[in-house]
């Protein structure tokens, strides 16, 4: 089953980050997508994976720390496709 996450985000300062699916046990990650610095403009990133039997969570990490380096999330949409989509 294909699972897609679409993130609409913007950054302030030097902020940047990553978005990815991860198993909650063992922390195995799938297809890390960079959330590049957008210079205060809204940007979109998508992650698509094929889901196995294990539960998944979606993670957004900020990789630049410090005052004024902020990653804002406007929306997160997770959808499934294929014959088993519910």
């Amino acid at each position: 089953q294909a699972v897609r996450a679409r993130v609409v985000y913007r950054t302030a300062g030097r902020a940047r980050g990553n978005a990815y699916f991860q198993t909650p046990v063992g922390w195995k990650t799938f297809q890390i997508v960079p959330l590049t610095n957008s210079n205060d403009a809204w940007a979109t990133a998508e992650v698509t994976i094929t889901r196995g039997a294990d539960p998944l969570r979606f993670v957004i990490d900020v990789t630049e720390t410090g005052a004024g380096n902020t990653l804002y999330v406007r929306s997160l949409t997770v959808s499934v496709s294929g014959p088993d989509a519910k």
Side-chain angles (χ1 to χ4, degrees), residues 10-60:
R10 75 176 174 90
T11 60
R14 296 185 325 232
R16 61 187 189 280
N18 294 308
Y20 51 92
F21 284 97
Q22 181 182 65
T23 60
V25 177
W27 302 342
K28 182 178 178 184
T29 60
F30 303 89
Q31 190 180 346
I32 298 172
V33 173
L35 304 177
T36 58
N37 186 287
S38 68
N39 297 316
D40 274 333
W42 290 104
T44 302
E46 288 190 8
V47 180
T48 302
I49 66 162
T50 300
R51 181 181 178 164
D54 294 331
L56 294 173
R57 62 182 171 194
F58 189 73
V59 179
I60 298 173

